[in-house]
Amino acid sequence: MAKMNSGQAVIELLKAEQVRHIFGIVGSTFLDVLDVLYDDTSVEYINVRHEQGAAFMADGLARVTGLPAVCLVTSGPGATNLLTGIGAAYVAHSPVIALTGGPPSSNYARDAFQEFDLVSMFKPVTKLSVLINKTERIPELLHYAFRMAMTGRKGPVFVEIPRDVLNGQTVDVDIMTPEQYRPTYPHLPHPDAIQYTVELLRQAERPLLIVGGGVNWAGANELVAHLSERFAIPMITAYGRNDAVANAHPLYIGPLGRAGAPEAAEACRRADLLLVVGSRLGNFSTYYDHRVIQPGVRLVQIDIEARDMGRIYPVTLGIQADAHAALTALLEALGQDRMAASSAAWQEEARILRDRRQARLEAEAKLDALPVKPQRVYVELRRVLPPETIVALDAGAAPAYGYDRLHLSHPRTLLTPLDLGGLGFAFPAALGAKLGRPEAPVLAIHGDGGFLMNAQELETAVRHGINIVILVMNNNCWGSEKAYQKHFYQERYVGADIGNPRYDKYAELFGAKGYYVEHPDQIGDIMLEALHCGKPAVIEIPIDADEFPTPATAARRGE
Ligand SMILES: Cc1ncc(C[n+]2csc(CCOP(=O)(O)OP(=O)(O)O)c2C)c(N)n1
């Protein structure tokens, strides 16, 4: 047990969880923590320009590394500015620890300066929301925070430390390793459940793997591919989880769900057994109706949490287990059982669907109209992006074309706003990703509307030397929403159009590099140049302002 000042204790507790970056904006409520970093440079405070950016950055870092990531901001507005970003981490099951200073305890429930009931405010978007009420409880409650963030289905945690509990205090701390305060071994599947899955697979004629984000979090990507190869089971990915499977895999058909591949939906409708690994079968994967998941289809759902099993679609079998552990057990059981590969007819069907998708995407190389069509932009990106590139997609129509069109090779290389659908996510999330994986090229893809929501973080990127590329497809409107007015309101546009500065010039004002590309043939070369320019870089591409995807609800209004 060591006695340390409380700021030191907080930093040591974070370091025990391999935290190397803390995101936030300085505030007087937590200066005892910041002061420690004056001498201890093993942890860097990434001081951002808006706390929302801090939360998205932490989320991006956690998603690409699998490690917990930390924000540290001040009370009141510092914390409320985090809220949307913590919501993004919540829907992504991303272990972000949001630490805030707080007003002095003596002012509790007095509507004092910057005093809000933050613990209640953060409850719906976290796994745990607590206030540390005594200095001596800092270690216990930070351990609790990490236990909740990192156990089972991961997720964000909110912790408020009132300024009097933190500043100028000392505390006795036992700096433990994570094994001493949270489980670090995976949750194993029940052997009978694995045996039953073997039986179901043996009976199936058209088995299909639906691969979700849980496979990334469990590091089970190779096992999924192995299972698929050994028994010729085709694969599709859940919404926004295209990186859970190497897209070049011959048994990978495509991504399911909103803005995904119709061929993946077709495979899903044709399958007679769905083996769902690490997916909630969420809203944008399945629409919660029967357009892809057929009524009565046999369904085995493997998930670390029980809360979403059979939630919308009855399961034949729900297996609560870590995806890596469950697939290991399943492969072993199938090997002993000597199960044969799926039928040649089903393999052929899957191959046709895969080929059809590839041909559909390749045909877009012929789109050479000006202004550039967003679909063509992705043809050029597929051509030049190195396979290890991490891509963050913002909400919005132009980024959404990427759900079906990006070609991903490695796990944890696609960051999307998932069910939050929040604009302004991609750029800061990409900055966090670059800090977590500095060796990887990182690209954020934005519409003009979403980029300007957090574009101020260009200053953060330049100052901290976080060299990523931001691609802004500019159609001078809130395109994704304008599409609804086009389809459903007879083109009576209200609030749909916006103006923009030239983003290449805007970038240069911050000391970043700027590019303006009008011709599709130039996109590839400029992208490669930007990735190697040694600075954060913004590429603006003016795109066809009349090119809108059909809104997700076009077929069924009101969903
Ligand atoms: C924070 C936030 N505000 C509003 C919306 C609603 N919304 C979704 S997409 C969109 C338009 C996005 O425009 P832009 O970023 O320019 O991309 P585009 O759709 O034009 O390609 C809007 C306003 C949202 N998803 N998130």
Side-chain angles (χ1 to χ4, degrees), residues 395-399 421-423 447-450 453 475 477-481:
L423 289 169
D448 48 296
M453 282 197 178
N475 55 8
C477 65
W478 301 106
S480 159
E481 307 303 274

Side-chain angles (χ1 to χ4, degrees), residues 12-304:
E12 294 305 324
L13 289 158
L14 301 186
K15 279 162 70 173
E17 290 277 0
Q18 301 183 58
V19 173
R20 294 290 171 264
H21 301 95
I22 300 176
F23 302 91
I25 293 180
V26 60
S28 63
T29 50
F30 60 86
L31 293 178
D32 273 31
V33 181
L34 273 194
D35 187 62
V36 178
L37 304 184
Y38 190 83
D39 298 316
D40 183 352
T41 53
S42 66
V43 176
E44 189 180 6
Y45 192 66
I46 306 292
N47 51 334
V48 303
R49 304 308 303 265
H50 188 295
E51 288 86 352
Q52 183 178 105
F56 284 144
M57 287 179 210
D59 181 16
L61 187 146
R63 291 196 208 184
V64 301
T65 60
L67 297 170
V70 176
C71 299
L72 176 60
V73 303
T74 199
S75 55
T80 55
N81 276 352
L82 280 186
L83 199 60
T84 302
I86 299 302
Y90 187 64
V91 301
H93 322 303
S94 183
V96 171
I97 311 284
L99 292 177
T100 75
S105 321
S106 53
N107 272 343
Y108 171 71
R110 279 179 169 169
D111 295 337
F113 179 65
Q114 298 189 336
E115 194 220 350
F116 294 111
D117 181 359
L118 294 171
V119 168
S120 296
M121 221 182 265
F122 277 84
K123 262 191 186 139
V125 292
T126 54
K127 287 181 74 183
L128 171 75
S129 185
V130 285
L131 181 140
I132 301 186
N133 62 343
K134 286 192 182 328
T135 306
E136 60 265 32
R137 298 192 68 194
I138 289 174
E140 171 205 338
L141 291 172
L142 284 186
H143 286 157
Y144 184 19
F146 280 112
R147 187 180 317 116
M148 291 301 285
M150 294 298 289
T151 307
R153 190 181 282 167
K154 296 180 172 67
V157 165
F158 175 82
V159 181
E160 178 174 348
I161 318 182
R163 62 198 304 154
D164 54 303
V165 170
L166 185 66
N167 294 332
Q169 304 295 323
T170 53
V171 58
D172 288 322
V173 203
D174 196 0
I175 299 297
M176 298 189 234
T177 56
E179 293 73 23
Q180 292 177 281
Y181 56 84
R182 62 179 176 85
T184 50
Y185 284 100
H187 186 134
L188 301 181
H190 196 285
D192 294 352
I194 293 298
Q195 221 34 66
Y196 187 22
T197 308
V198 172
E199 271 169 47
L200 290 168
L201 277 166
R202 285 181 71 83
Q203 290 161 13
E205 284 174 17
R206 295 183 304 281
L208 180 71
L209 274 158
I210 301 184
V211 186
V215 167
N216 279 344
W217 288 112
N221 312 79
E222 281 179 18
L223 289 177
V224 167
H226 191 51
L227 176 67
S228 163
E229 281 153 28
R230 236 176 102 189
F231 303 102
I233 307 175
M235 299 180 278
I236 60 176
T237 42
Y239 173 72
R241 304 301 197 173
N242 318 29
D243 59 341
V245 166
N247 293 186
H249 197 289
L251 285 160
Y252 177 62
I253 296 170
L256 188 62
R258 186 174 181 193
E263 297 83 4
E266 178 66 31
C268 197
R269 281 190 290 272
R270 286 283 300 144
D272 66 351
L273 174 70
L274 299 175
L275 181 53
V276 182
V277 191
S279 167
R280 295 182 303 125
L281 297 177
N283 194 179
F284 274 3
S285 290
T286 64
Y287 306 96
Y288 294 159
D289 60 19
H290 290 297
R291 75 185 87 168
V292 291
I293 307 261
Q294 295 299 288
V297 69
R298 287 182 161 196
L299 201 155
V300 176
Q301 197 172 0
I302 299 171
D303 203 306
I304 193 73

